[in-house]
Amino acid sequence: MQGRFKRDGSASAEPEPHGGTDRGPSPQHAQNPGPAGDGGERSGRPGASVPSGSASPAPPLKPPAGPTGPGPRIALRNWRISTRLVSLLALPVVAATSLGALRINQSMDDIQQLDNMKLLTDMTKQATELSAALQEERDQSAGPLAHGGKATDFTVKGLREKTDRAMKNFLDSSEEIDSASKDGNLKGVREYLIQIAGELGDLAQIRKSAYASEGNSTQTIEAYHRLIENLIDLSQDMAEATSNPDMIQRTRALAAFSSAKEYSSIQRAALAAALPASNTTTGKLSPNDRLYAQSALESQKSEIRSFKSIYGEDAAAELLKPIEDGGNSTIKATDTYAGRALVSASGLAQQDKRSYRDWLDDSSTKIQQMKNIEHTLLEEMEQKARELRSATERDAIISGALILIVLGVSLVGAFVVARSMIRSLRRLEETATKVASDRLPELVKQLSESDPQDVDTSVESVGVHSRDEIGRVAAAFDDVHREAVRLAAEQALLRGNVNAMFTNLSRRSQGLIQRQLSLISELESREADPDQLSSLFKLDHLATRMRRNGENLLVLAGEEPGRRWTRPVPLVDVLRAAASEVEQYERIELAAVPTTEVAGRVVNDLVHLLAELLENATSFSSPQTKVKVTGHALPDGRVLIEIHDTGIGLSPEDLAAINERLASPPTVDVSVSRRMGLFVVGRLSQRHGIRIQLRPSDSGGTTALVMLPVDVAQGGKKPQPKQGGQPPVGGGGPAAAQAAAGAA
């Protein structure tokens, strides 16, 4: 190429003849190869010096005080919201459940006690029937046996058989108490029943000597009385089955009235033994028997008073009407007769003559009424026991239902609250993630690639509008999002202003440099002195490099050059023009360049791109070596340009980082200004679809592969089918095909 290859858009941008060939290396330049050019550098190459004026590394930041990580997984702050809510509700729920379980357990204990009380009530009923049978046997057999009767007499035998049946029923019922006492609840009752059963075994001995001693019926009556008193005391043990005050009151009332009935029966037996078999003579009552019977009369009155006190005066008076207040003349007459007969030693002798049969008939009327009252008290106890058991079961069911309801409401409430909170938190998390990963980066990209005024910078709300802490966090995030968008818009506007400033300065510098180049060209055309001409060539070369640096500013600002070629230019001329803009242009060797043309719209940018790569290759290789440039025309119409240097090469990590920057140039910042050549090459290649890749060279150093697409390499035309004949210069050997495949 003759003279200088100017890049402008006018017709005068054709190569200008200077009457010579390529500019040779000046002796000064060859002897003192300068440092890397302004735009030529290779990031990461060992030995590369840091540009002067670059900022020194910032001192390391002081780590923040306190824990910086999330901490262990079991830490409270790392628990999930649902886990925290469950933990928060666990304590009151567990407490309520425990209290409810205690209540149910207490109810179950009460039910068990009431079941035991029912057994005892049945047992008391059997004991009452047995005591009544013993009373009948003792009283009804007193007259016959005291007057020489035998145990085999029909009346005595029938009474004893009736007592034996009642005793058998009583002992059979005690077996149920024995089974129920295995859990320890009725252990005392069981032991008492064993004692009673043992004493009932002495009944045969009592019968054998019943009323055998004349004038001493007290011995037989007392023996029966001890058995009957033990049976009456059994009802007192029913208080162990329940803590219900009403039931305790009723058991005590029953025991008191049964004792009163027993003392009344004792009087009947004592007088029956003392009265004769006929009403023709008076009876004989020994002093001992009279005192014993009189004591029974006083005890009867005492037990009646106790019964009234326990059962209640009004209720007891209503219940005792049949035996008191003169309601029954026979009973009244009987009480009067007994009171007068027992009042003194001669009391019986002063009464009307009466046989023991008449006395038994009259006194049995009172005993029968007392049996009826006793039966009423037993029925009331049974009814009360059933009511208490039903109420206890109802309480247990209600308590269990309340516990289930509390648990259900607690769980449902916890689920609803947790779901509400987690739904808001998840929406906040998803929106924050989407904003951080998609919306904000896309908005920043739009602001950096277009006019900020043309970009929609409105912020979509998270959508959580509650008044709780989560809603306030969402509102704060919306504010942060809006502030981030505002700052991104301001930054984009500031970047646009800086780019405009770069463009303005570059345009002014370009105009001055273009005028300077025109003046130098005019001086070169009129200069005949070789030394002066060499100096003018150097000055021309420096101005050309200055123009390239100015164009770098335009590339940084995202502007396209105002000068364009109107016609396609041969690739070899483009390569020579690029070499002419490199400081050490004399080290560049062109070989095997295909005869293809470059589209005019790409010529200036391609010359700039190749000049940066050549500047980089010459700057980071030995001054005594050559930088070889070859080209290969591929069958599909593309052209592969290879730039080989013999420097020290790059590590695989550095090559990967540089190729990444070439494929995706970063945003303009201070670091880009330090590696301007790399950024400019990446921007220019992206502008025209040119692919660039750095590879280790087989002979050492680095190879830069530049793949020109079809619309660039063929002057904007589609490739023509190969017609045979001589192939283009350096066009398409195996090495070229391998390099093309790697670059693709």
Side-chain angles (χ1 to χ4, degrees):
M1 173 181 263
Q2 295 179 350
R4 180 177 63 257
F5 187 81
K6 296 183 179 180
R7 288 177 286 150
D8 53 28
S10 61
S12 62
E14 299 292 340
E16 297 182 1
H18 289 281
T21 58
D22 290 344
R23 189 180 310 170
S26 64
Q28 181 180 2
H29 191 81
Q31 293 173 3
N32 301 315
D38 296 55
E41 89 297 321
R42 185 167 297 172
S43 172
R45 182 181 291 276
S49 60
V50 178
S52 61
S54 62
S56 60
L61 296 176
K62 183 179 180 180
T68 57
R73 180 67 181 87
I74 61 175
L76 181 60
R77 64 177 181 270
N78 292 328
W79 289 12
R80 298 173 62 88
I81 296 296
S82 56
T83 305
R84 297 185 189 184
L85 288 174
V86 170
S87 302
L88 184 64
L89 291 173
L91 184 59
V93 169
V94 169
T97 305
S98 301
L99 293 176
L102 292 175
R103 177 67 180 274
I104 293 176
N105 186 55
Q106 182 63 38
S107 299
M108 298 304 295
D109 291 341
D110 292 343
I111 292 175
Q112 181 63 39
Q113 289 180 358
L114 292 172
D115 288 339
N116 294 336
M117 188 180 66
K118 183 178 183 302
L119 291 176
L120 288 175
T121 303
D122 294 339
M123 195 73 217
T124 301
K125 187 175 183 180
Q126 296 294 333
T128 302
E129 291 179 357
L130 177 58
S131 63
L134 289 171
Q135 289 170 355
E136 288 294 322
E137 177 184 337
R138 177 190 62 188
D139 299 349
Q140 296 292 340
S141 64
L145 293 178
H147 293 84
K150 303 295 183 181
T152 56
D153 291 349
F154 177 77
T155 301
V156 176
K157 184 177 180 181
L159 292 171
R160 291 182 177 182
E161 289 178 352
K162 182 179 179 181
T163 301
D164 291 339
R165 289 194 297 270
M167 185 171 61
K168 183 177 183 303
N169 294 334
F170 174 79
L171 294 177
D172 291 342
S173 298
S174 65
E175 296 294 332
E176 298 182 8
I177 300 294
D178 183 66
S179 300
S181 64
K182 292 181 179 179
D183 57 357
N185 293 330
L186 299 177
K187 187 176 181 181
V189 177
R190 177 177 176 274
E191 292 176 354
Y192 191 66
L193 282 174
I194 294 174
Q195 178 184 348
I196 293 176
E199 293 178 353
L200 288 175
D202 299 334
L203 181 60
Q205 184 64 32
I206 295 174
R207 288 173 174 175
K208 185 177 181 181
S209 60
Y211 302 104
S213 300
E214 184 178 356
N216 189 15
S217 62
T218 300
Q219 180 179 1
T220 302
I221 295 173
E222 178 64 20
Y224 275 97
H225 174 67
R226 285 193 296 268
L227 294 178
I228 295 170
E229 189 177 39
N230 289 335
L231 292 173
I232 293 173
D233 290 341
L234 182 64
S235 63
Q236 297 282 6
D237 294 333
M238 291 182 62
E240 298 181 6
T242 180
S243 58
N244 185 271
D246 195 12
M247 287 300 300
I248 294 175
Q249 178 186 4
R250 292 178 183 277
T251 56
R252 292 176 57 197
L254 175 64
F257 187 80
S258 296
S259 296
K261 173 172 163 287
E262 165 62 10
Y263 289 124
S264 179
S265 178
I266 288 175
Q267 299 171 52
R268 183 177 65 167
L271 290 176
L275 290 174
S278 64
N279 55 7
T280 59
T281 59
T282 59
K284 296 181 180 179
L285 186 62
S286 66
N288 186 47
D289 291 345
R290 185 186 68 79
L291 292 176
Y292 183 77
Q294 187 180 17
S295 175
L297 178 60
E298 297 299 328
S299 297
Q300 174 192 347
K301 296 177 181 179
S302 176
E303 293 295 336
I304 290 294
R305 288 194 297 268
S306 297
F307 170 73
K308 291 179 179 180
S309 176
I310 296 172
Y311 194 76
E313 292 291 340
D314 296 337
E318 182 67 23
L319 194 63
L320 296 177
K321 276 184 178 182
I323 62 175
E324 289 185 348
D325 299 333
N328 190 306
S329 58
T330 303
I331 295 175
K332 183 177 180 181
T334 301
D335 291 340
T336 302
Y337 181 82
R340 292 175 179 178
L342 300 176
V343 69
S344 62
S346 60
L348 183 61
Q350 295 176 359
Q351 301 300 314
D352 296 336
K353 297 177 182 179
R354 177 181 293 189
S355 66
Y356 69 84
R357 294 185 180 87
D358 296 336
W359 164 249
L360 288 175
D361 292 339
D362 293 342
S363 61
S364 295
T365 303
K366 181 179 180 180
I367 298 298
Q368 184 60 44
Q369 290 295 335
M370 296 184 79
K371 285 183 180 179
N372 295 336
I373 295 174
E374 193 177 45
H375 183 70
T376 301
L377 292 175
L378 281 172
E379 287 183 347
E380 289 180 354
M381 287 179 57
E382 291 178 349
Q383 180 64 26
K384 188 63 179 179
R386 287 192 293 268
E387 291 177 357
L388 288 175
R389 193 180 191 284
S390 299
T392 305
E393 288 181 348
R394 184 170 59 254
D395 291 343
I397 294 174
I398 292 175
S399 299
L402 287 177
I403 291 176
L404 293 177
I405 292 174
V406 169
L407 288 176
V409 171
S410 301
L411 293 177
V412 172
F415 175 76
V416 172
V417 174
R419 184 180 180 186
S420 175
M421 294 177 62
I422 292 173
R423 182 184 300 172
S424 300
L425 288 173
R426 284 180 178 172
R427 185 165 187 175
L428 180 58
E429 178 188 8
E430 291 173 358
T431 304
T433 303
K434 190 173 183 180
V435 168
S437 60
D438 297 331
R439 294 181 186 175
L440 201 55
E442 181 65 24
L443 181 62
V444 171
K445 182 179 179 182
Q446 293 178 7
L447 291 172
S448 62
E449 293 179 353
S450 59
D451 189 352
Q453 297 180 354
D454 298 335
V455 178
D456 182 13
T457 58
S458 60
V459 173
E460 182 180 353
S461 175
V462 174
V464 179
H465 304 293
S466 58
R467 297 182 180 179
D468 59 353
E469 289 80 358
I470 300 176
R472 291 197 289 269
V473 171
F477 176 79
D478 290 339
D479 295 339
V480 171
H481 188 190
R482 280 189 288 269
E483 185 66 15
V485 171
R486 186 186 65 81
L487 291 176
E490 290 183 356
Q491 184 181 12
L493 183 60
L494 178 61
R495 188 183 300 113
N497 293 335
V498 173
N499 290 341
M501 187 166 42
F502 281 171
T503 302
N504 188 22
L505 292 176
S506 178
R507 296 294 185 191
R508 292 185 180 185
S509 298
Q510 290 284 29
L512 295 175
I513 293 173
Q514 190 63 34
R515 291 172 58 188
Q516 182 180 4
L517 286 173
S518 299
L519 180 58
I520 294 173
S521 297
E522 185 179 351
L523 293 175
E524 287 175 347
S525 63
R526 293 184 300 183
E527 184 62 50
D529 186 359
D531 294 334
Q532 293 294 332
L533 188 59
S534 177
S535 298
L536 290 174
F537 283 163
K538 291 180 180 179
L539 187 60
D540 187 349
H541 187 65
L542 289 174
T544 303
R545 294 178 61 200
M546 289 173 61
R547 182 178 64 185
R548 179 159 57 88
N549 286 336
E551 291 179 350
N552 283 345
L553 294 178
L554 291 176
V555 176
L556 289 176
E559 297 289 336
E560 294 187 3
R563 300 172 292 106
R564 292 181 180 274
W565 286 77
T566 57
R567 295 194 300 269
V569 177
L571 179 60
V572 64
D573 291 342
V574 174
L575 292 173
R576 288 172 180 171
S580 68
E581 295 189 3
V582 178
E583 180 180 3
Q584 303 179 49
Y585 61 87
E586 70 278 0
R587 293 175 51 203
I588 298 174
E589 180 180 300
L590 301 180
V593 179
T595 58
T596 185
E597 292 183 339
V598 178
R601 59 181 175 81
V602 190
V603 169
N604 286 325
D605 287 343
L606 184 58
V607 170
H608 194 168
L609 183 151
L610 294 172
E612 293 290 346
L613 293 175
L614 291 172
E615 187 80 56
N616 203 41
T618 57
S619 299
F620 293 97
S621 61
S622 175
Q624 288 77 29
T625 60
K626 294 288 185 179
V627 175
K628 295 183 180 180
V629 180
T630 60
H632 308 280
L634 303 180
D636 59 0
R638 295 180 298 169
V639 173
L640 176 65
I641 301 173
E642 300 182 17
I643 302 175
H644 304 274
D645 66 59
T646 55
I648 59 176
L650 292 169
S651 65
E653 293 80 9
D654 293 336
L655 280 175
I658 292 173
N659 287 327
E660 177 65 25
R661 282 178 169 267
L662 289 173
S664 301
T667 306
V668 179
D669 54 12
V670 178
S671 63
V672 168
S673 66
R674 299 194 189 107
R675 299 176 177 86
M676 188 180 300
L678 188 66
F679 178 82
V680 169
V681 170
R683 276 289 180 88
L684 293 176
S685 63
Q686 275 194 337
R687 183 180 295 175
H688 301 290
I690 300 173
R691 301 190 62 180
I692 300 176
Q693 188 177 29
L694 299 185
R695 286 186 175 183
S697 179
D698 295 337
S699 58
T702 304
T703 298
L705 303 177
V706 181
M707 179 67 72
L708 303 181
V710 176
D711 59 342
V712 172
Q714 301 299 324
K717 301 178 181 179
K718 293 184 179 180
Q720 299 294 327
K722 187 179 290 185
Q723 299 295 333
Q726 186 176 1
V729 180
Q738 182 180 2

